[in-house]
Amino acid sequence: MFEGFERIPVNWHKQIINLLAERIVVVDHNGIILYINEAYCEFLGTTVKDAVHRPVQEVIENSRMHIVAKTGQKELAALHPINGSEMIANRFPIIEDGKIVGAVGTVMFRTPDEWQMYKTKIQGLVEELKYYKTKVEKELKSKYHFHHLIGNSPAFAATKKLAERISESNSSVLLIGESGTGKELFAHAIHNSSMRASLPFVAINCASIPEHLLESELFGYEDGAFTGAKKGGKKGQFEIANNGTLFLDEIGDMPLSMQSKLLRVLQEKEVQRVGGQRSIAVDVRIIAATHRELEALVEEGKFRQDLYYRLNVIKIDIPPLRERKEDIPLISQNLLKKLERKFYRKGIALSPYVEERLMQHSWPGNIRELENVLERSINVLDGKTIEVAHLPLYLRDIEMDNNYVPADNPSNNQMALKEEFMISSLKEILAKAEKEAILNALHITNGNKQEAAKVLKIGKTSFYEKCKLYAIK
């Protein structure tokens, strides 16, 4: 008896054996049946009384139990011809004090049909598991490489080169850039060029998750940690990204209470699930991104200085589109190819006038805005060339350089085109006025941004963002 088994009432033993194995037989070293249950006897067309104390090969057709009791070699999922069919059986030797004293056999499947039904069911589950495993692995892989980052302008080329150079490092990276500049694409590309490329890439947007859910999302939770908690608990994003990269987008919007918990994880390299007591070691490279001026948030007490220094090991400033307008034609071509696949179109191009309009716009929404403009244009496009008429209204009304007249524009349309270009949109007029007001305020305060913000009666964070928007140094 193994330890504790003696506490089980003897009259339970038979029932336990029958429940654990529907058909079972036990033989001694000589292959004499010591025990066989009723279910097996019914299948064989005999009784327990007639079967016990007899050689197993006399009771069970084609039995190998007596062989296993001699050789001590177990036989798993073995085919066993019996009663005109084939069972699938397991046979195990029983060893005591190093000697083979007998064997035990169980019937796994009574017929090949039963095995096939089981196999079909299991195969379906295996295929389903494989599907979801592949889906999860695909979602945890980074999608973009550096060749997906389009642009040859000096500012963008320098940024891209720096990102490529630091990819192989394990240091934290802070990506700074306006919305729509491609911060997430840079994060993907950095991961794909790192030593962690084959390991998970997990992205989380700190601004899109409610504050009360952010902790459990990042660090996970234990079973019963709170009302509605998933049975068995749940891994957090840090655990899922273990040995890989965790991309924390919009880190500037993370609540202060979470900032301190994040700092602890980065310092200790371990997480503690919500409602849990044990610490779980994690090895994760952090890439953070924000469109906010973190320095200003630190000054205002809205972002922890120690966390800022922890994240700001390698800082990469991604230039806005208005600072690399020479890249607009190339980016537009790339976006058009992407949109052609989406709309099942081919050969879509920009007219020279449209290209010039795009070059004149300030693009506050950056590449995301440019993609939206091109998608809108394709939606109303009949032919294959996007003309000025296909652009949104605010781009049709851009004020162009008075001396610009496209060389191939018909002469009878030149004056009309120049007059159309001279019309400014309300958006452009307001932007010019806002920029002029900021420059005047900085002139009055001798370049003191905090004082200039007070003069304009706006918050420091808003002021810093507008300076960034209008490229005011």
Side-chain angles (χ1 to χ4, degrees):
M1 291 286 181
F2 53 83
E3 186 179 350
F5 198 77
E6 67 276 2
R7 291 194 292 272
I8 300 174
V10 175
N11 59 340
W12 289 18
H13 294 180
K14 181 179 177 182
Q15 189 177 164
I16 289 170
I17 290 170
N18 285 330
L19 289 170
L20 289 175
E22 190 179 347
R23 291 167 178 79
I24 186 170
V25 61
V26 181
V27 301
D28 65 12
H29 181 62
N30 296 313
I32 304 300
I33 296 175
L34 300 179
Y35 173 83
I36 186 168
N37 65 351
E38 290 178 5
Y40 208 163
C41 287
E42 286 177 14
F43 176 66
L44 296 169
T46 186
T47 63
V48 174
K49 185 178 179 181
D50 290 338
V52 293
H53 306 308
R54 291 173 61 191
V56 67
Q57 60 269 40
E58 292 181 6
V59 177
I60 303 174
E61 182 185 352
N62 297 315
S63 177
R64 289 179 53 84
M65 289 295 296
H66 56 298
I67 298 171
V68 173
K70 291 288 185 184
T71 64
Q73 298 296 314
K74 65 183 176 182
E75 297 179 357
L76 301 179
L79 284 173
H80 184 159
I82 190 170
N83 291 350
S85 184
E86 287 181 327
M87 299 188 310
I88 296 174
N90 285 334
R91 307 181 186 102
F92 303 91
I94 299 173
I95 300 172
E96 195 172 71
D97 297 328
K99 293 182 179 180
I100 304 167
V101 294
V104 58
T106 62
V107 176
M108 292 174 64
F109 304 103
R110 290 168 292 180
T111 65
D113 289 341
E114 195 174 277
W115 158 240
Q116 192 60 43
M117 184 176 68
Y118 177 81
K119 183 183 177 184
T120 302
K121 187 175 180 181
I122 293 298
Q123 189 64 32
L125 292 173
V126 168
E127 291 296 329
E128 188 175 352
L129 180 62
K130 186 179 178 182
Y131 167 78
Y132 285 113
K133 183 182 177 185
T134 304
K135 188 171 184 283
V136 168
E137 286 176 349
K138 188 177 180 181
E139 288 174 353
L140 294 179
K141 294 289 184 184
S142 48
K143 304 172 186 175
Y144 307 104
H145 295 76
F146 279 109
H147 67 263
H148 290 113
L149 304 175
I150 308 300
N152 297 320
S153 62
F156 189 73
T159 302
K160 187 174 172 180
K161 187 176 180 180
L162 173 61
E164 287 181 278
R165 190 183 305 133
I166 59 88
S167 291
E168 294 184 8
S169 165
N170 278 319
S171 299
S172 297
V173 179
L174 181 60
L175 301 172
I176 304 293
E178 296 172 13
S179 294
T181 50
K183 297 187 290 294
E184 185 164 353
L185 268 68
F186 267 88
H188 279 265
I190 290 169
H191 173 78
N192 258 332
S193 293
S194 73
M195 300 294 288
R196 299 171 183 253
S198 61
L199 297 162
F201 175 87
V202 178
I204 184 169
N205 190 309
C206 302
S208 65
I209 300 173
E211 183 176 348
H212 67 284
L213 296 178
L214 190 55
E215 182 177 4
S216 60
E217 186 67 25
L218 282 174
F219 309 137
Y221 57 79
E222 295 291 359
D223 189 0
F226 48 82
T227 303
K230 182 181 176 183
K231 187 173 177 61
K234 180 186 173 185
K235 283 184 178 182
Q237 300 299 330
F238 266 92
E239 286 183 72
I240 294 171
N242 192 29
N243 296 317
T245 302
L246 181 61
F247 175 51
L248 298 174
D249 200 6
E250 301 300 352
I251 191 73
D253 293 288
M254 180 177 281
L256 271 172
S257 58
M258 275 303 302
Q259 291 177 29
S260 58
K261 292 174 182 177
L262 174 61
L263 179 64
R264 179 195 167 278
V265 172
L266 299 183
Q267 289 174 334
E268 305 298 328
K269 297 186 185 302
E270 59 183 30
V271 296
Q272 195 171 86
R273 292 183 183 180
V274 175
Q277 301 298 320
R278 65 188 181 96
S279 294
I280 303 167
V282 289
D283 173 19
V284 174
R285 184 188 192 180
I286 298 293
I287 301 178
T290 183
H291 69 283
R292 295 180 175 275
E293 288 282 355
L294 289 188
E295 294 92 338
L297 293 177
V298 169
E299 287 180 18
E300 294 172 11
K302 294 179 180 177
F303 199 87
R304 290 183 64 106
Q305 188 175 50
D306 42 9
L307 177 60
Y308 171 67
Y309 290 131
R310 174 71 63 172
L311 296 172
N312 191 25
V313 178
I314 301 169
K315 184 178 179 181
I316 298 177
D317 282 285
I318 303 172
L321 197 53
R322 65 181 170 278
E323 292 180 10
R324 56 184 191 110
K325 287 189 175 181
E326 60 266 50
D327 289 334
I328 288 176
L330 193 59
I331 294 171
S332 297
Q333 290 171 21
N334 186 263
L335 291 173
L336 284 175
K337 288 179 183 177
K338 174 184 171 183
L339 291 168
E340 280 177 348
R341 292 191 294 271
K342 180 177 179 180
F343 287 91
Y344 304 101
R345 304 279 292 272
K346 282 186 178 181
I348 297 175
L350 303 177
S351 74
Y353 318 120
V354 167
E355 196 169 285
E356 190 65 30
R357 294 268 174 129
L358 299 183
M359 296 278 281
Q360 290 292 323
H361 185 49
S362 61
W363 299 108
N366 295 290
I367 297 171
R368 190 176 295 123
E369 182 187 358
L370 176 58
E371 183 172 2
N372 288 343
V373 165
L374 294 175
E375 182 170 348
R376 187 262 183 200
S377 300
I378 292 175
N379 269 296
V380 297
L381 180 64
D382 291 325
K384 290 191 173 183
T385 303
I386 296 175
E387 302 287 356
V388 173
H390 300 124
L391 296 176
L393 187 61
Y394 73 94
L395 282 174
R396 294 183 225 166
D397 295 336
I398 288 179
E399 180 181 355
M400 298 288 286
D401 184 339
N402 288 342
N403 296 320
Y404 171 75
V405 179
D408 57 349
N409 190 41
S411 57
N412 59 341
N413 288 332
Q414 286 185 4
M415 287 304 296
L417 185 61
K418 286 179 69 176
E419 288 174 6
E420 185 183 0
F421 283 170
M422 291 174 65
I423 300 171
S424 295
S425 68
L426 180 61
K427 187 175 181 180
E428 292 286 320
I429 293 169
L430 291 173
K432 287 179 182 179
E434 194 169 54
K435 182 176 181 179
E436 189 175 338
I438 292 170
L439 290 170
N440 286 338
L442 286 169
H443 179 71
I444 293 168
T445 59
N446 294 318
N448 188 315
K449 288 187 176 182
Q450 291 189 34
E451 290 299 318
K454 289 179 183 178
V455 169
L456 294 171
K457 297 181 180 180
I458 61 174
K460 285 186 287 184
T461 301
S462 178
F463 184 84
Y464 278 98
E465 287 178 354
K466 288 182 185 299
C467 285
K468 186 89 172 176
L469 178 64
Y470 299 122
I472 298 172
K473 303 296 182 184

